[in-house]
Amino acid sequence: MSQEGQLVLVRHGQSVWNRQNRFTGWVDVSLSQEGIAEASRTGELLRSTRFDLAFTSSLLRAQDTLYEILKQNRHCDQYIRIHETSSEWYEHFVSTQADLVELKIYISEKLNERYYGDLQGRNKDAARKEFGDEKVHLWRRSYDIPPPGGESLEMTALRVIPYYHSHIRPHLKKGASVLVSAHGNSLRALIMHLEQLTPEQILAYEWPTGSPHIYRFDRNIQIVDKKVLS
């Protein structure tokens, strides 16, 4: 490990429901063929980057994006998945020398996409016709107003940021290189915290798929450099 921590944030590729213009949230849909291609292109960008560990959500589209990236990575030959809800079972084994080269992947619901509640599965255009353009826009783009039965971005941040502090930040402080594959809104919540952005700034933040964000930190976990690959 270097003395500087490195955090690489990756937004998952296009999902089947993204392609169908539907609200997805926590529904566990797969990547589309275009999404797999986007993840593969991200893997090319990160091919030479060494990672000490990785984190992803409990949803397949984020996990499959991560695996597409690791397939191409020159430094990752094997990995082991640690499920947060049963980590004492998944990590309960007698380790060997061979285990030292395994990349640990931590899987947590805390990194899941924003929960869209009653909108999940609905076509976005149909929802606008049913509820009105203004109301749907408010649910999607406001910081603290959730859709019916769902989460606002503010509520999403209330689970993402504590998880970052308890599970990810300690590794960065030790100088680790950490890869996170997650979702547009869970990553926006994290970026807002890292860069100290206002709600207005983060809601206007555009993040195309296939553009990993790379942060480098000093020993005090202050950002010393940021770059976006494309």
Side-chain angles (χ1 to χ4, degrees):
M1 294 184 188
S2 69
Q3 293 303 308
E4 291 184 337
Q6 176 175 265
L7 177 63
V8 179
L9 305 180
V10 173
R11 182 182 177 188
H12 70 75
Q14 182 195 69
S15 74
V16 172
W17 278 16
N18 289 150
R19 189 184 64 207
Q20 295 173 0
N21 197 34
R22 298 168 71 180
F23 288 101
T24 309
W26 283 40
V27 182
D28 207 3
V29 301
S30 66
L31 292 175
S32 66
Q33 288 301 310
E34 175 59 27
I36 294 171
E38 288 172 342
S40 181
R41 288 194 292 271
T42 302
E44 292 175 8
L45 293 172
L46 298 173
R47 185 173 182 271
S48 297
T49 304
R50 182 185 293 276
F51 298 108
D52 297 304
L53 69 163
F55 293 84
T56 190
S57 79
S58 68
L59 300 171
L60 283 175
R61 57 193 187 273
Q63 294 179 27
D64 287 348
T65 295
L66 175 63
Y67 303 143
E68 286 295 324
I69 291 169
L70 295 180
K71 278 180 188 177
Q72 301 186 52
N73 192 270
R74 292 196 302 111
H75 306 287
C76 181
D77 295 323
Q78 58 196 59
Y79 51 77
I80 184 171
R81 293 155 47 100
I82 308 298
H83 300 258
E84 181 188 66
T85 54
S86 302
S87 61
E88 71 277 9
W89 292 359
Y90 285 90
E91 288 192 280
H92 185 201
F93 61 90
V94 177
S95 64
T96 68
Q97 188 67 23
D99 298 333
L100 297 177
V101 299
E102 289 180 333
L103 181 78
K104 283 190 175 181
I105 299 171
Y106 292 90
I107 299 171
S108 175
E109 287 186 349
K110 297 293 194 301
L111 295 174
N112 279 15
E113 177 59 287
R114 175 184 171 192
Y115 182 64
Y116 273 102
D118 296 348
L119 295 182
Q120 292 191 160
R122 290 178 182 261
N123 179 277
K124 293 175 183 177
D125 292 332
R128 291 187 190 97
K129 289 180 181 178
E130 180 176 349
F131 300 107
D133 287 346
E134 185 176 339
K135 187 166 286 186
V136 172
H137 181 78
L138 189 66
W139 290 333
R140 292 188 67 194
R141 295 302 180 189
S142 66
Y143 178 67
D144 55 359
I145 300 176
E151 289 181 310
S152 64
L153 183 57
E154 181 182 41
M155 294 163 71
T156 305
L158 289 175
R159 56 177 165 84
V160 172
I161 294 171
Y163 184 81
Y164 163 76
H165 278 281
S166 62
H167 288 72
I168 299 174
R169 190 176 185 274
H171 295 286
L172 297 174
K173 196 166 186 178
K174 295 176 183 177
S177 176
V178 180
L179 173 61
V180 176
S181 176
H183 308 264
N185 284 300
S186 55
L187 292 174
R188 279 192 181 92
L190 182 52
I191 287 174
M192 181 181 177
H193 175 70
L194 292 174
E195 300 188 26
Q196 295 297 292
L197 302 179
T198 66
E200 292 74 23
Q201 287 173 317
I202 198 60
L203 289 170
Y205 195 93
E206 293 297 331
W207 189 343
T209 53
S211 299
H213 288 40
I214 302 177
Y215 295 88
R216 286 194 302 110
F217 300 85
D218 62 20
R219 292 182 179 182
N220 298 316
I221 317 299
Q222 299 298 310
I223 296 172
V224 296
D225 182 57
K226 174 193 174 182
K227 59 184 176 181
V228 178
L229 304 183
S230 60

